[in-house]
Every structure is written in structure tokens, then in C-alpha cells.
Amino acid sequence: MTSYRKRIADTLLTRKLAGMGAILVEGAKWCGKTTTCEQFAKSAIYLADPQKREEYLNFAAVDAQRILEGTHPRLIDEWQDAPQLWDAIRHYVDHSEGEGHFILTGSSVVPKDKEEKIVHSGTGRIARIKMRPMSLWESGESTGELSLGDLMAGQPVASAKAHPYTLDSMAYLICRGGWPKAVEQGGDIALDRAFDYYEAVTGSDISRTDGIPRDPERVKLLMRSYARLQGTQSNLSVIRKDMQANDTRSIDEDTIHSYLTALRRIFVIEDMRAWCPSLRAKSAIRTSDTRYFTDPSIAIAALGTNPGRLANDLRSFGYFFEALAVRDLRIYMDAAMGHVERYHDSTGLECDAVLQARDGSYALVEIKTGGNLIDEGIETLTKFDNLIAKKKMRPPAFRMVLTAIGEFAYTRPKDNIIICPIGCLKP
């Protein structure tokens, strides 16, 4: 049996258990929610257990208290199968002393037809943690010599050694993804994990979340279009046009919207919000979300490609590396109780990732493969920094060009821009 690999969610769970009565850990299937939560639980019930599922659901319907009985913290795995437990847990927390009574896990959001069973939002009683597939630091594939938290706190960078990735090795990591089982397996077998996930989503999971039948081939077509358009702010009409270019059957935007909503409910896609600072610039700030999957390997599976083909297509490699970098930055900013957004205005000025901390501090990150493209990132950051200075906005904690390859992270003396290979980052 493989030993447990510590996750960033461990730290978040420890913090939340000390301050809230119950914690909901939600995220995509196979990302490690249950295994992580089992490290903290002193008793557990698994609602998806095929041998006991019917019995558990009956108890949840007529005597929810029976489900809650057990040593705390008590893990209730896949709680969304019995949404009436939500209010039972909230009521228990309201009338109990102390914190950290329950840990809930969920791989889908409760569908609308079951939301009436949840009377209260759980605010003040139930905290939420979003869990994603593993970052490179969590999987042991980053040296962790440079802390994003330290950078946000204003600490300078002398130098940091990075894992010596090549285009080929980084292409493999993109295609494999951060699925814990894939990390354990390695080699070609690990590459199958994302394809298996993709088949499960398109074949059954997207329909199971709300009970609405959906055409698996249409789902695949949509996910392929989404993969081609990831990293863009494409609207539904653009997605529809891309789908129709590869399918003679018609599909309307309402249907596309319903499919995308279902994919969000099971945490397959996770779009990035637009950053809208108070620049008071004449150029309009675009507020559309940027399209991303929760892990780049899902897009790889949707397009049916592999590490060799990806490494030989530098343009595509750049888009997919950006998706991997966004995944890791999101995970690292979770540790800092922050989030990641994207800036894009009507003049074409954009920043790939704006790291936003809870205290209002922020950082600007351009994501590039490496080599000559680093100069493009530096140019963009310089233009953006000049705009901020002109509008008298709070300066960023740091500016960074995040690269796929490179031996060391360092700060350029000329402009204090950090050049950082992703293989040396940690929270």
C-alpha cells in the first residue's frame, strides 16, 4: 500500500476543523478528497458504498441522526447523494459545543431538483474547501525552493534551484495530470488515468449529477471544443461554431449552456474570473471568464493527443502548459486563502494570472514556455506596471514570468522581474 502523500488541503482542513463545526471538501472525482479526509476522520460513512447505499439513503430520509452517529470528526463521503443531511448537520452544529464535528466530501454540486431539501446555506456552520488534482509540489515534482507565500509577503528572491524539466518531460506531466493514482503509477500506464476519467464523465457522470440524459458523443464534441478554446474568453456562440465545424447536427446555445453547467457541477471545468481593478482607464476591461479544465490532462484526453505530439507542437504546448500553471497557481493561492484571476482589456493588454490575496495585495504573472518567449512576458509586465503607476494604483507584490523549463529562479536586477521555472515553486 502506497504511503499517504501530504496535500495542501491537509493544512486547510486543519485550520477549518479548528474554527468551524463542519467542513465540505468538494472537487473532481479521483482527485484524492476521500483519502485526504480519512487522515483526519475518527469515524466514517460512505454513502456510495454499493452494498449499503440503499440502507444509508433510507436512514438519511427517515432518521438522519443515525447517519451522524459516530466519533468526531465524522466523515460523510459523497454527502450530496442524501442532501437532506445538510440541515441535519447544521442543526447538530448549532446545538453542540466545540468545532470540527463533521467532514463532508462531494464530487458534484447538489442538483436543483434536490436543492429544496437544503433549507439553510450553512453559513457560519459549514466551511468549504475546493480540492483539485495534485500540483507539482504535492506530487514531489517541484523542488519547492521558492515559496509563493513568501513572495506575496514581499520577501526577495536570491536564487532557487528548479527541477530540470525538458519539453518532453513537461509534456508528459501535462498529459498525465495531477491525479493521485497516476502519480503513483508512472509511465504509460499513468497516461490512461485521464482518458479513463474522460470516458467516465462523457459516458455517465455528466448525466448522473442531475438525472438528465445527455448524448455522450455531444459531450465529447463539446469537451473537444472547450479544449481547443481553453485559455480564451470564448462565448457560447464561438463554442457552438467550433462544435458545428466538426458535427453536421445542429445544437443551440441553451443546450451548450446546460451541458457546461453539468460539467461545472462535477468540477470538470473551472473557468477563471476576470480581474477588474480600479484603473479608470479609457480602455474597457473585459469581464468574461477564461475557459479552463480543472486539470490540463482532461483537455489532452478530449483531443486524444499524447506527450510526443504535444512536445513537437510548441504553440499547443504553450496553451497546455498555461493550463497546468493555472492549476498549480490556484492550489498554491488556496494555501494563502487567495485566488487567481486574469486581466484583459480592449487594447489587447492582458496578464495571464493575477494572484489576489485576502489582504488586497496582488501579483502579476505571465506564463511562458521559456527561451525567447520570456522577453514577451517581460514586455507585457512592464506595460502593465506602467499602467498601474500612471493610475496610482497599489503596486504589485511582485512581477513574474513563470516558465516550463529552466534551471534556476532569479530576479532581474534591471527591473526586479522574477524569472521562475514552475519546477521550483511551492505554496
Side-chain angles (χ1 to χ4, degrees):
M1 181 177 180
T2 304
S3 61
Y4 177 70
R5 189 186 295 269
K6 187 174 176 63
R7 304 287 297 272
I8 290 170
D10 290 41
T11 302
L12 298 177
L13 257 173
T14 300
R15 176 170 175 166
K16 294 298 184 182
L17 283 169
M20 294 290 282
I23 295 88
L24 168 60
V25 181
E26 52 189 356
K29 273 188 175 181
W30 305 356
C31 74
K33 300 183 300 298
T34 302
T35 302
T36 294
C37 293
E38 285 173 338
Q39 313 308 307
F40 294 83
K42 294 182 178 179
S43 69
I45 186 168
Y46 302 89
L47 296 184
D49 184 339
Q51 295 183 342
K52 299 182 179 181
R53 174 180 169 81
E54 186 175 351
E55 177 185 357
Y56 289 157
L57 295 184
N58 286 334
F59 275 130
V62 301
D63 187 10
Q65 187 63 35
R66 186 71 63 92
I67 299 293
L68 305 187
E69 291 177 355
T71 309
H72 296 168
R74 180 161 175 78
L75 170 61
I76 303 176
D77 193 49
E78 298 297 348
W79 81 276
Q80 76 281 347
D81 290 347
Q84 58 268 40
L85 290 175
W86 185 269
D87 279 326
I89 291 169
R90 181 191 62 80
H91 183 268
Y92 186 101
V93 170
D94 275 346
H95 296 84
S96 301
E97 294 183 0
E99 311 294 350
H101 297 291
F102 298 101
I103 305 172
L104 290 69
T105 70
S107 55
S108 69
V109 176
V110 175
K112 288 185 177 180
D113 64 343
K114 295 182 180 179
E115 283 181 351
E116 68 274 8
K117 297 180 180 179
I118 301 176
V119 178
H120 195 281
S121 67
T123 302
R125 288 89 164 179
I126 305 174
R128 293 174 183 262
I129 295 174
K130 178 174 286 187
M131 196 166 175
R132 302 178 180 86
M134 301 172 84
S135 64
L136 294 182
W137 182 72
E138 291 173 303
S139 62
E141 291 159 318
S142 168
T143 63
E145 290 198 6
L146 186 59
S147 165
L148 201 62
D150 289 346
L151 293 177
M152 292 298 296
Q155 294 189 23
V157 177
S159 66
K161 187 176 181 180
H163 196 291
Y165 288 116
T166 63
L167 283 176
D168 289 332
S169 59
M170 182 55 68
Y172 174 82
L173 294 178
I174 293 170
C175 294
R176 185 206 65 192
W179 311 103
K181 283 291 185 182
V183 172
E184 293 174 8
Q185 292 168 329
D188 290 340
I189 295 175
L191 297 175
D192 293 340
R193 181 65 54 172
F195 283 87
D196 293 340
Y197 177 85
Y198 170 69
E199 291 296 333
V201 167
T202 57
S204 59
D205 288 354
I206 191 173
S207 298
R208 186 179 296 131
T209 182
D210 54 12
I212 299 175
R214 294 181 174 87
D215 181 355
E217 292 306 314
R218 280 289 178 86
V219 180
K220 289 181 179 181
L221 188 65
L222 173 59
M223 290 181 68
R224 284 196 292 271
S225 292
Y226 222 81
R228 285 189 287 267
L229 296 169
Q230 70 171 343
T232 72
Q233 293 84 37
S234 300
N235 57 29
L236 293 182
S237 64
V238 173
I239 296 174
R240 179 173 177 265
K241 183 177 180 181
D242 185 84
M243 292 178 67
Q244 289 186 321
N246 296 278
D247 187 11
T248 57
R249 295 175 295 174
S250 62
I251 185 169
D252 57 60
E253 292 183 15
D254 288 342
T255 301
I256 294 173
H257 180 268
S258 72
Y259 276 41
L260 292 178
T261 298
L263 290 173
R264 290 188 185 96
R265 285 184 177 274
I266 55 176
F267 306 100
V268 174
I269 59 177
E270 185 182 359
D271 295 339
M272 182 186 290
R273 294 183 302 180
W275 187 55
C276 299
S278 302
L279 292 177
R280 298 185 178 87
K282 293 181 180 179
S283 55
I285 298 174
R286 296 184 178 178
T287 57
S288 300
D289 290 350
T290 303
R291 309 292 187 179
Y292 287 107
F293 287 96
T294 194
D295 190 274
S297 65
I298 305 173
I300 292 291
L303 294 175
T305 191
N306 58 48
R309 290 169 60 188
L310 184 62
N312 287 319
D313 182 351
L314 288 180
R315 183 178 178 83
S316 295
F317 179 95
Y319 289 127
F320 283 101
F321 170 67
E322 179 183 307
L324 180 143
V326 166
R327 179 201 69 193
D328 281 14
L329 289 173
R330 279 171 159 165
I331 294 171
Y332 299 157
M333 286 305 293
D334 281 348
M337 302 296 171
H339 56 273
V340 184
E341 298 178 348
R342 187 185 186 104
Y343 178 87
H344 192 187
D345 65 30
S346 58
T347 69
L349 181 62
E350 61 181 320
C351 185
D352 294 331
V354 181
L355 314 185
Q356 186 76 56
R358 178 181 286 182
D359 65 1
S361 61
Y362 69 98
L364 306 174
V365 179
E366 277 290 290
I367 302 168
K368 301 295 179 184
T369 302
N372 295 333
L373 295 177
I374 293 176
D375 291 337
E376 292 183 11
I378 292 170
E379 182 180 357
T380 297
L381 291 173
T382 301
K383 289 180 179 178
F384 204 102
D385 207 38
N386 289 339
L387 178 60
I388 291 173
K390 183 178 179 181
K391 299 300 176 181
K392 298 181 180 180
M393 187 179 170
R394 179 179 183 175
F398 64 89
R399 296 168 297 158
M400 173 189 288
V401 179
L402 184 62
T403 66
I405 55 177
E407 293 186 49
F408 296 94
Y410 61 94
T411 301
R412 287 165 40 104
K414 180 179 179 180
D415 48 26
N416 288 323
I417 291 176
I418 301 167
I419 310 301
C420 176
I422 197 169
C424 71
L425 268 187
K426 71 174 183 179

